[in-house]
Amino acid sequence: MHDVRTVKAPSMPRLAAASLAGTAIEFYDFFVYGTAAALILGPLFFPTFSPLAGTLAAFGTFAVGFVARPLGSVLFGHIGDRHGRRPVLVVSLLLTGGATVAVGCVPTYDAIGVTAPLLLLLLRFLQGLGLGGEWGGAVLLTAEHAPAGRRALWSSFPQVGPAVGFVLANGVVLALSATLTESQFAQWGWRVPFWAAGALAVLGLWLRSSLPESPRFLEIDDHARVPFVEVVRSHWRLVLLTAGALSVGYAIFYAVTTWSLAYATERLGVSRNVMLACIMAAVVVKGALTPLAALLGDRYGRRPLCLAGCAAAALWMFPLVALLATGEPLPMFLGILGALVAFVTMFAVIAAYLPELYEPRVRCTGAAVGYNLGGVLGGALTPIAATALAEQGGRVPWGVGAYLTGIALLSLGCFALLPETRPAAVTVARPAMD
């Protein structure tokens, strides 16, 4: 058994800040690709396709990252459950950062032909592999240090990281788009955000270099030999339920941050800068609301907030597409903001909820696999499906609203089948975090 007395407990604000910064950097890497896919990668890497087919192909390479994320959660979950949460944070950051920088160096189709999109696919796969491990390590390191009564609050800070990463990624793209000509942006400007990932990765490694190992991991004296096998054998139903439950969050987020960007600029003629500003403003509000929603999760429970968020999402998807179809900044902002408020009501407590559902010996693998499978179901296909559905309808893409509403109802059913885990209210025969 590990000697936990040798580990000095860090201050929770410092640990939360380091986790937030790390997830922000890794999600910056992931999101900058999504923005580039919506705006520029189609004509550069699939120039022989029609504009619609090129966008769909670019979103296809975007989806590869989601397919890789469950594989990353298996790989890094094994490391996290066998060797500790902390090593996961370092290796995943190096992998994601390196792949992102490399994307900025890939020649276009005009230079090297079909090799260009193939390299793009490979690097996007590596990005997803790294990000699949990042979430589990960052969340567990925070959640397993946090006091039980404030676990949702402290573990929500890594959940703020995606919002920070998104705003940072899109802010860089917006600044370049506003200062460069269309020709300059297409020739080299789009590469700059990818190159910047190198400096951010170095910063992230510095921030994480002094983080201590999780005390819960150090208390484990019987590590799972092959954590993924144990998860599949003993927790397969839980993994499927959590994946289905989380799919709506991914679908909402990537519908409003990736698909809507392409839809508004290509179909409605909205300025790229205006649409980016609308999305970024809504994401800023979403990030600010995350700790507040997490406090409610500590007070009233994880499951009630998740059910409320799913119900709100199901009711808001048709208003969302109607507001987007106006092409006017304020209605579009309100539509996106409403969707993200529903999203954050669920995802603010997920970083506490998922780890509490699994026993410590397989927690890194189980929580991460469920979380990232939800990304495949909700995030990988949504930009592709929404683009195709919007093309079939009129100005208002009602088919997209129906698609998103269906996913919300699926997730609502899955959350209804999951137990409550708030430490003061655990009544089921499942290991609590403590």
Side-chain angles (χ1 to χ4, degrees):
M1 184 172 178
H2 298 279
D3 184 5
V4 299
R5 294 172 300 176
T6 61
V7 179
K8 181 181 178 181
S11 71
M12 286 309 303
R14 174 176 167 271
L15 182 61
S19 295
L20 187 159
T23 54
I25 291 166
E26 290 225 37
F27 276 91
Y28 165 90
D29 295 352
F30 202 74
F31 289 147
V32 79
Y33 190 101
T35 303
L39 295 178
I40 196 69
L41 295 186
L44 291 180
F45 288 88
F46 304 95
T48 60
F49 291 14
S50 69
L52 172 62
T55 299
L56 287 170
F59 280 150
T61 63
F62 177 73
V64 167
F66 283 98
V67 174
R69 282 173 65 167
L71 299 177
S73 64
V74 172
L75 171 63
F76 288 102
H78 184 92
I79 296 172
D81 284 325
R82 293 282 300 170
H83 306 289
R85 320 315 192 195
R86 188 172 175 271
V88 171
L89 301 182
V90 176
V91 180
S92 64
L93 185 59
L94 284 172
L95 178 59
T96 308
T100 305
V101 172
V103 169
C105 301
V106 175
T108 63
Y109 185 94
D110 288 342
I112 59 173
V114 72
T115 305
L118 291 177
L119 286 174
L120 212 57
L121 279 171
L122 173 62
L123 294 171
R124 181 61 176 173
F125 180 86
L126 294 177
Q127 267 192 327
L129 204 66
L131 194 62
E134 158 66 26
W135 186 85
V139 162
L140 287 190
L141 203 61
T142 307
E144 291 182 338
H145 273 100
R150 285 290 181 262
R151 185 172 297 129
L153 172 63
W154 289 115
S155 61
S156 73
F157 284 92
Q159 295 293 82
V160 179
V164 176
F166 179 85
V167 172
L168 186 59
N170 284 273
V172 173
V173 174
L174 183 59
L176 290 166
S177 179
T179 55
L180 300 178
T181 66
E182 289 289 337
S183 176
Q184 289 171 328
F185 185 78
Q187 288 176 2
W188 58 268
W190 68 273
R191 299 182 183 273
V192 174
F194 292 95
W195 294 335
L200 292 174
V202 172
L203 174 62
L205 290 172
W206 176 75
L207 288 170
R208 290 178 165 182
S209 61
S210 60
L211 292 181
E213 185 52 79
S214 158
R216 296 292 177 268
F217 173 78
L218 295 175
E219 291 169 357
I220 300 170
D221 57 5
D222 182 26
H223 295 283
R225 183 178 179 184
V226 185
F228 179 66
V229 171
E230 187 167 323
V231 166
V232 171
R233 184 174 61 241
S234 304
H235 304 289
W236 62 270
R237 181 176 179 273
L238 182 57
V239 169
L240 293 179
L241 282 176
T242 53
L246 298 180
S247 61
V248 65
Y250 283 99
I252 289 173
F253 193 83
Y254 288 100
V256 301
T257 61
T258 300
W259 165 73
S260 70
L261 181 58
Y263 166 73
T265 55
E266 295 175 7
R267 288 286 304 279
L268 305 180
V270 177
S271 162
R272 178 169 60 202
N273 294 349
V274 168
M275 195 59 193
L276 282 172
C278 289
I279 295 171
M280 288 170 60
V283 171
V284 168
V285 178
K286 170 254 179 190
L289 290 177
T290 299
L292 299 178
L295 279 172
L296 295 177
D298 278 325
R299 182 174 178 84
Y300 299 108
R302 295 34 164 147
R303 185 169 171 268
L305 262 72
C306 292
L307 291 172
C310 273
L315 293 172
W316 189 250
M317 294 302 98
F318 283 109
L320 166 65
V321 297
L323 290 167
L324 285 176
T326 66
E328 297 295 328
L330 182 58
M332 290 191 301
F333 165 76
L334 292 175
I336 293 168
L337 179 61
L340 291 182
V341 168
F343 166 88
V344 80
T345 304
M346 295 175 277
F347 270 55
V349 298
I350 286 301
Y353 195 16
L354 259 64
E356 288 169 346
L357 287 167
Y358 292 89
E359 57 186 310
R361 55 186 271 119
V362 295
R363 182 172 288 154
C364 195
T365 300
V369 169
Y371 186 83
N372 287 297
L373 276 178
V376 175
L377 295 175
L381 298 179
T382 292
I384 299 172
T387 299
L389 288 169
E391 188 68 18
Q392 300 304 314
R395 181 178 176 88
V396 181
W398 297 118
V400 177
Y403 173 83
L404 294 173
T405 301
I407 295 178
L409 293 174
L410 168 67
S411 293
L412 184 65
C414 291
F415 272 124
L417 295 173
L418 289 171
E420 178 56 78
T421 62
R422 183 165 58 100
V426 172
T427 59
V428 295
R430 181 168 298 287
M433 183 77 76
D434 300 316

